[in-house]
Every structure is written in structure tokens, then in C-alpha cells.
Amino acid sequence: EASRASKMGISRSSFKKRRATGGKKPLIRKKRKFELGRASANTRIGVQRVRTVRVRGGNLKFRALRLDHGNFAWGSEGCTRKTRILDVTYNASNNELVRTKTLVKSAIVQVDATPFRQWYVTHYGQELGKKALSEEEKKFSKTQLKKFEARRKNNTIDPLVADQFKSGRLYAAIASRPGQCGRCDGYILEGTELAYYIKKMAKKKSGKKE
């Protein structure tokens, strides 16, 4: 029985499933190549390791086994930067994926805030949360300072996001599929979405049930 189980492949076909009423379906054919499934990538945080997989039609999939960087977009500022992935903090589907720090689509991760902080200084001429002129700001010309002043007038940053810059880590959601495309890209959480996930993580930490 054990040897028979080891020969069985991973299949995506629904022949084994029962009907909605609970009845068994008759087996009308054996498994087909186009119904095959593959083992999950279980992408972890680490030095980049990506494998290519030949798939149907001669196409290629890029199976990321380890990733530590990704492109993350700061939507409200229209800024995208390559940054380090530091930790996996929340996953709505399975807590085990948080414990093992597995990178999957829609997982909530913490990324390094440094590239975004540097961009903010060059774009607005001041560091986040500081009103006084910094040493870097004093180096700018009058024309540049005037440009920065105009940009700041229309600029409002989510207080929850600004608060995270103090710790040097930002909450972000993964939007790509690391096990399929070999990349871990996503976006910085803001507004109601960020508030929602902070609340969820606080609830998980306190041990309360959903």
C-alpha cells in the first residue's frame, strides 16, 4: 500500500471529489498529463535561489526557493523602490506560513524603510516627521527649496505610515506569486488596509480568537 501511494502523483483533477449531494462519481479515465500538479515552492527569506521549471506549451515558470529582496510600491507617493524583506508578520490563510516565514501572495511582510526615506529626502527636502531644516536641507539651493515647499503643500502622509519610519520597517503586502514568477514584489500598506492588518496582528498577539 505504501509503495502504491509513493507512485501516485499530485493531480489537480476533480475526479476524486464527491458530488454536492455526497455521492461518489464513477472513475471514467486515468490521470492525464495536463491535469498534473506540482509540489509547492514554500519560498523562504534568504539569499536568492530561483529554479526554472518547464511547463505546458514549452513555457517556463520561475520557482523561487529563497528571496530576500523585492520591488515595493508606495502608492500614494507614486514611488517604487527595491528593498530588503525583513520578516513575515501575518498571513490570513495559515499561521504556519508566518512561523516558517514563507513568502506567498497576499502575505503581510515587513520591509526595510531606508530606500523610501532616502527618496522622501530628495523629493521633499526634509526627513519624515521633522519640521526643522536638517543639515542635508541646508545644502539645497533657493530654487530647490522653493520646489520642495510647493510639493509639501499638497503632501499628506498617513500617520500610521509615518510612525513606522521611526522603527525603520514598513508593513507591505506581497502582490506577486514568488513560486510562479520567481519575484517577490508588492506594495506598502496604507490607510484603512493598514489599520485593518495592524488590528488583526494585535489581536493575534493578544491570543484572542477571530
Side-chain angles (χ1 to χ4, degrees), residues 81-98:
R81 289 290 178 273
K82 184 180 179 180
T83 185
R84 278 191 310 131
I85 300 160
L86 303 172
D87 196 11
V88 179
T89 54
Y90 185 78
N91 193 308
S93 63
N94 192 349
N95 282 336
E96 195 68 9
L97 299 175
V98 178

Side-chain angles (χ1 to χ4, degrees), residues 10-54:
I10 300 167
S11 177
R12 294 184 300 111
S13 69
S14 59
F15 294 139
K16 296 285 182 185
K17 293 192 124 183
R18 287 172 177 256
R19 294 193 177 97
T21 55
K24 279 192 174 181
K25 291 180 188 175
L27 196 65
I28 58 167
R29 69 176 188 207
K30 291 184 179 179
K31 291 177 183 176
R32 297 288 187 264
K33 180 81 164 74
F34 57 79
E35 290 167 351
L36 66 78
R38 296 183 185 88
S40 58
N42 295 327
T43 311
R44 306 287 165 82
I45 297 172
V47 179
Q48 184 173 312
R49 194 190 304 167
V50 180
R51 300 285 178 265
T52 53
V53 181
R54 188 213 179 263

Side-chain angles (χ1 to χ4, degrees), residues 3-192:
S3 61
R4 188 182 158 202
S6 63
K7 286 177 186 174
M8 288 176 69
I10 300 167
S11 177
R12 294 184 300 111
S13 69
S14 59
F15 294 139
K16 296 285 182 185
K17 293 192 124 183
R18 287 172 177 256
R19 294 193 177 97
T21 55
K24 279 192 174 181
K25 291 180 188 175
L27 196 65
I28 58 167
R29 69 176 188 207
K30 291 184 179 179
K31 291 177 183 176
R32 297 288 187 264
K33 180 81 164 74
F34 57 79
E35 290 167 351
L36 66 78
R38 296 183 185 88
S40 58
N42 295 327
T43 311
R44 306 287 165 82
I45 297 172
V47 179
Q48 184 173 312
R49 194 190 304 167
V50 180
R51 300 285 178 265
T52 53
V53 181
R54 188 213 179 263
V55 297
R56 188 166 161 84
N59 297 306
L60 291 176
K61 279 188 180 181
F62 300 95
R63 190 77 82 231
L65 306 177
R66 298 281 185 278
L67 286 174
D68 59 354
H69 281 79
N71 294 321
F72 286 85
W74 188 359
S76 63
E77 294 295 326
C79 163
T80 302
R81 289 290 178 273
K82 184 180 179 180
T83 185
R84 278 191 310 131
I85 300 160
L86 303 172
D87 196 11
V88 179
T89 54
Y90 185 78
N91 193 308
S93 63
N94 192 349
N95 282 336
E96 195 68 9
L97 299 175
V98 178
R99 189 184 67 80
T100 54
K101 300 190 190 306
T102 305
L103 302 171
V104 292
K105 185 176 177 175
S106 297
I108 305 304
V109 295
Q110 279 190 321
V111 298
D112 186 13
T114 308
F116 298 100
R117 184 189 281 118
Q118 289 169 343
W119 172 84
Y120 194 90
V121 171
T122 57
H123 192 74
Y124 291 108
Q126 70 176 31
E127 284 193 37
L128 266 167
K130 291 186 180 179
K131 288 182 180 177
L133 288 171
S134 63
E135 288 302 313
E136 282 185 35
E137 202 172 3
K138 287 170 186 173
K139 295 173 189 174
F140 294 123
S141 66
K142 286 182 180 178
T143 314
Q144 283 176 308
L145 289 171
K146 199 174 179 182
K147 192 194 289 180
F148 293 147
E149 199 62 45
R151 282 176 183 167
R152 280 181 217 146
K153 277 181 185 176
N154 305 320
N155 176 246
T156 50
I157 286 187
D158 186 342
L160 289 172
V161 175
D163 198 44
Q164 288 177 72
F165 274 95
K166 294 172 188 173
S167 65
R169 291 172 169 229
L170 298 173
Y171 284 120
I174 298 173
S176 66
R177 300 173 70 193
Q180 304 289 320
C181 65
R183 299 168 66 96
C184 189
D185 301 337
Y187 58 94
I188 304 300
L189 292 175
E190 299 176 87
T192 52

